[in-house]
Amino acid sequence: FFKRMDEALSTGMVNKDWLESWLDGKPPENVIFGTSVENQAMAELRIPRLLSIPAANRFVSFEPLLGPVNSGLDGISEIVIGGESGRNPRPCNVEWIRSLARQGQEAGVKVHVKQLGAFSIEEQGSQRRRILYDDPKGGNPSEWPEDLREFSVLG
């Protein structure tokens, strides 16, 4: 980040006063930085890097969500959650989505669920079942479990 900002400043691509204000700890409100995270390992790698960037607004896209993620969301403004769609989608457990939505709520972060994915699963005890949707991406909130509908990007 800082190297790119130095380059932008030296080439005249960025207003010097604006950049100096940013680097002095006053990041612009109209800029948002984000990263994508698909599992716990990537959360541990990418979220700290994102938090190291001086920014007023940060987001994490948990797409495609391929495993459970337990991550502190302090310093994050918004999260988007979604299972994988397309050819040969990998499974997404609905409980992983629920867990992230709860974590976001508890941290005061805006939570948006985009889709549950083309290969959604639900586990109840030792039972695991695939959920089939009319929408091939699992993107129709009316087909979702009721507790997730409030987070729909369509809602």
Side-chain angles (χ1 to χ4, degrees), residues 21-56:
S21 176
W22 189 344
L23 296 177
D24 284 340
K26 300 175 200 135
E29 293 289 327
N30 66 330
V31 176
I32 184 167
F33 281 90
T35 191
S36 61
V37 167
E38 58 269 30
N39 57 34
Q40 186 66 40
M42 291 300 103
E44 292 171 7
L45 176 69
R46 295 179 184 148
I47 292 176
R49 285 184 180 170
L50 176 63
L51 293 172
S52 75
I53 297 170

Side-chain angles (χ1 to χ4, degrees), residues 23-93:
L23 296 177
D24 284 340
K26 300 175 200 135
E29 293 289 327
N30 66 330
V31 176
I32 184 167
F33 281 90
T35 191
S36 61
V37 167
E38 58 269 30
N39 57 34
Q40 186 66 40
M42 291 300 103
E44 292 171 7
L45 176 69
R46 295 179 184 148
I47 292 176
R49 285 184 180 170
L50 176 63
L51 293 172
S52 75
I53 297 170
N57 299 292
R58 296 178 189 93
F59 78 93
V60 178
S61 175
F62 292 97
E63 294 180 277
L65 187 59
L66 301 177
V69 177
N70 293 303
S71 180
L73 295 173
D74 291 337
I76 304 297
S77 310
E78 188 170 346
I79 62 174
V80 176
I81 310 166
E84 190 168 41
S85 61
R87 214 178 245 200
N88 302 315
R90 292 164 285 183
C92 180
N93 190 320

Side-chain angles (χ1 to χ4, degrees), residues 117-132:
F119 188 164
S120 296
I121 58 172
E122 241 182 345
E123 292 180 4
Q124 294 178 339
S126 62
Q127 302 257 339
R128 182 179 192 192
R129 72 177 182 96
R130 183 169 180 181
I131 306 168
L132 298 174

